[in-house]
Coordinates of all heavy atoms in Angstrom, one line a residue:
G76 N 88.8 129.6 -75.1 CA 89.0 128.3 -75.7 C 90.2 128.2 -76.5 O 90.6 127.2 -77.0
G77 N 90.8 129.3 -76.9 CA 91.9 129.2 -77.8 C 93.3 128.8 -77.2 O 93.2 128.4 -76.0
G78 N 94.3 128.7 -77.9 CA 95.6 128.3 -77.2 C 96.5 127.7 -78.4 O 96.3 128.0 -79.6
L79 N 97.6 127.1 -78.0 CA 98.5 126.5 -78.9 C 98.4 125.0 -78.9 O 98.5 124.4 -77.7 CB 99.9 126.9 -78.2 CG 101.2 126.2 -78.9 CD1 101.3 126.5 -80.4 CD2 102.5 126.6 -78.1
V80 N 98.4 124.5 -80.0 CA 98.2 123.0 -80.1 C 99.1 122.5 -81.4 O 99.5 123.3 -82.2 CB 96.7 122.5 -80.4 CG1 95.8 122.9 -79.2 CG2 96.1 123.1 -81.8
Q81 N 99.3 121.2 -81.4 CA 100.0 120.7 -82.4 C 99.0 120.2 -83.7 O 97.8 120.1 -83.4 CB 100.6 119.4 -82.0 CG 101.9 119.6 -81.1 CD 102.8 118.4 -80.8 OE1 102.2 117.3 -80.9 NE2 104.0 118.6 -80.7
A82 N 99.5 120.2 -84.8 CA 98.8 119.8 -86.0 C 98.1 118.5 -85.7 O 98.6 117.7 -85.2 CB 99.7 119.8 -87.2
G83 N 96.8 118.4 -86.2 CA 96.1 117.2 -86.0 C 95.2 117.4 -84.7 O 94.2 116.4 -84.6
A84 N 95.4 118.2 -83.8 CA 94.8 118.4 -82.6 C 93.4 119.0 -82.7 O 93.1 119.4 -83.8 CB 95.5 119.0 -81.5
S85 N 92.6 119.0 -81.6 CA 91.3 119.8 -81.7 C 91.3 120.9 -80.6 O 92.0 120.8 -79.7 CB 90.2 118.8 -81.3 OG 90.2 117.7 -82.3
L86 N 90.5 121.8 -81.0 CA 90.1 122.8 -79.9 C 88.7 123.3 -80.1 O 88.1 123.0 -81.2 CB 91.0 124.3 -80.2 CG 92.4 124.3 -79.7 CD1 92.9 125.5 -80.1 CD2 92.5 124.2 -78.3
R87 N 88.1 123.8 -78.9 CA 86.8 124.3 -79.0 C 86.7 125.5 -78.7 O 87.0 125.8 -77.5 CB 85.9 123.4 -78.1 CG 84.4 123.8 -78.3 CD 83.6 122.7 -77.4 NE 82.1 123.1 -77.6 CZ 81.3 122.6 -78.4 NH1 81.7 121.8 -79.4 NH2 80.1 122.9 -78.4
L88 N 86.3 126.5 -79.5 CA 86.1 127.9 -79.1 C 84.7 128.1 -78.7 O 83.7 127.6 -79.3 CB 86.5 128.8 -80.2 CG 87.8 128.6 -80.9 CD1 88.0 129.8 -82.1 CD2 88.9 128.8 -80.0
S89 N 84.5 129.0 -77.7 CA 83.2 129.4 -77.2 C 83.0 131.0 -77.2 O 84.1 131.6 -77.0 CB 82.9 128.8 -75.9 OG 82.9 127.5 -75.8
C90 N 81.9 131.3 -77.4 CA 81.7 132.8 -77.4 C 80.5 133.1 -76.5 O 79.3 132.5 -76.8 CB 81.5 133.3 -78.8 SG 81.0 135.2 -78.9
A91 N 80.6 133.9 -75.4 CA 79.4 134.2 -74.7 C 79.0 135.6 -74.9 O 79.8 136.4 -74.8 CB 79.8 134.0 -73.3
A92 N 77.7 135.7 -75.1 CA 77.2 137.0 -75.4 C 76.5 137.6 -74.1 O 75.9 137.0 -73.5 CB 76.2 136.9 -76.6
S93 N 76.6 138.9 -73.9 CA 76.0 139.6 -72.8 C 75.4 140.9 -73.3 O 75.8 141.5 -74.3 CB 76.8 139.7 -71.6 OG 78.0 140.4 -71.9
G94 N 74.5 141.5 -72.5 CA 74.0 142.7 -72.8 C 72.7 142.7 -73.6 O 71.9 143.7 -73.8
R95 N 72.5 141.7 -74.4 CA 71.2 141.5 -75.1 C 71.2 139.9 -75.5 O 72.3 139.2 -75.5 CB 71.0 142.2 -76.3 CG 72.1 142.1 -77.4 CD 71.8 142.6 -78.7 NE 70.8 141.8 -79.4 CZ 70.3 142.2 -80.7 NH1 70.6 143.4 -81.2 NH2 69.3 141.4 -81.3
T96 N 69.9 139.5 -75.9 CA 69.9 138.1 -76.4 C 70.1 138.1 -77.9 O 69.6 138.9 -78.7 CB 68.6 137.5 -76.0 OG1 68.5 136.1 -76.6 CG2 67.4 138.3 -76.6
F97 N 70.7 137.0 -78.4 CA 70.9 136.9 -79.8 C 70.1 135.7 -80.4 O 70.5 135.0 -81.4 CB 72.3 136.7 -80.2 CG 73.0 138.1 -80.1 CD1 73.9 138.2 -78.9 CD2 72.9 139.0 -81.0 CE1 74.4 139.6 -78.8 CE2 73.6 140.2 -80.9 CZ 74.5 140.5 -79.8
S98 N 69.1 135.2 -79.6 CA 68.4 134.0 -79.9 C 67.6 134.1 -81.4 O 67.2 133.0 -82.0 CB 67.4 133.6 -78.9 OG 66.4 134.7 -78.8
R99 N 67.4 135.4 -81.9 CA 66.8 135.5 -83.1 C 67.7 136.1 -84.2 O 67.3 136.7 -85.3 CB 65.6 136.4 -83.0 CG 64.4 135.8 -82.1 CD 63.3 136.8 -82.0 NE 63.7 137.9 -81.1 CZ 62.8 139.0 -80.8 NH1 61.8 139.0 -81.4 NH2 63.3 139.8 -79.9
N100 N 69.0 135.8 -83.9 CA 70.0 136.5 -84.8 C 71.1 135.6 -85.3 O 71.5 134.6 -84.6 CB 70.8 137.5 -84.0 CG 69.7 138.7 -83.4 OD1 69.2 138.4 -82.3 ND2 69.6 139.8 -83.9
S101 N 71.5 135.9 -86.6 CA 72.7 135.0 -87.1 C 74.0 135.2 -86.3 O 74.2 136.4 -85.7 CB 72.9 135.4 -88.5 OG 71.8 135.1 -89.3
M102 N 74.7 134.3 -86.2 CA 76.0 134.4 -85.5 C 77.1 133.8 -86.3 O 76.8 132.8 -87.1 CB 76.1 133.9 -84.1 CG 75.0 134.5 -83.2 SD 75.2 134.1 -81.5 CE 76.6 135.0 -81.0
G103 N 78.3 134.2 -86.0 CA 79.4 133.4 -87.0 C 80.8 133.7 -86.4 O 80.9 134.2 -85.3
W104 N 81.7 133.0 -87.0 CA 83.0 133.1 -86.6 C 83.9 133.5 -87.8 O 83.7 133.1 -89.1 CB 83.6 131.7 -86.1 CG 83.2 131.2 -84.9 CD1 82.0 130.5 -84.7 CD2 83.7 131.5 -83.5 NE1 81.9 130.4 -83.3 CE2 82.9 131.0 -82.6 CE3 84.8 132.3 -83.2 CZ2 83.1 131.1 -81.3 CZ3 85.0 132.3 -81.8 CH2 84.3 131.7 -80.9
F105 N 85.0 134.3 -87.5 CA 85.8 134.8 -88.5 C 87.3 134.7 -87.9 O 87.5 134.5 -86.9 CB 85.6 136.3 -88.9 CG 84.3 136.6 -89.7 CD1 83.1 136.5 -89.1 CD2 84.4 136.9 -90.9 CE1 81.9 136.7 -89.8 CE2 83.3 137.1 -91.8 CZ 82.0 137.0 -91.3
R106 N 88.3 134.8 -88.9 CA 89.6 134.7 -88.5 C 90.4 135.6 -89.3 O 90.2 135.9 -90.4 CB 90.1 133.3 -88.4 CG 90.4 132.7 -89.9 CD 90.8 131.1 -89.7 NE 90.9 130.6 -91.2 CZ 91.2 129.3 -91.3 NH1 91.2 128.5 -90.3 NH2 91.3 128.9 -92.5
Q107 N 91.5 136.0 -88.7 CA 92.5 136.8 -89.2 C 94.0 136.5 -88.9 O 94.3 136.4 -87.8 CB 92.4 138.4 -89.0 CG 93.2 139.4 -89.6 CD 92.7 140.8 -89.5 OE1 92.1 141.2 -88.5 NE2 93.0 141.6 -90.4
A108 N 94.7 136.0 -89.9 CA 96.1 135.8 -89.7 C 97.0 137.0 -89.9 O 96.6 137.9 -90.7 CB 96.4 134.6 -90.7
P109 N 98.2 136.9 -89.5 CA 99.0 138.1 -89.6 C 99.3 138.4 -91.0 O 99.6 137.6 -91.9 CB 100.4 137.7 -89.0 CG 99.9 136.6 -88.1 CD 98.7 135.9 -88.6

C-alpha cells in the first residue's frame, strides 16, 4: 500500500502475516527516514 503521494493525500498500509497467527499478540507500525 505504500507509494508516492502529494501532501494532504491519504494512503492505507496493510500488513499480512503468515506462518503463525497473531490474534493474541500486539502489533505495530514503525518508520525510518533516511
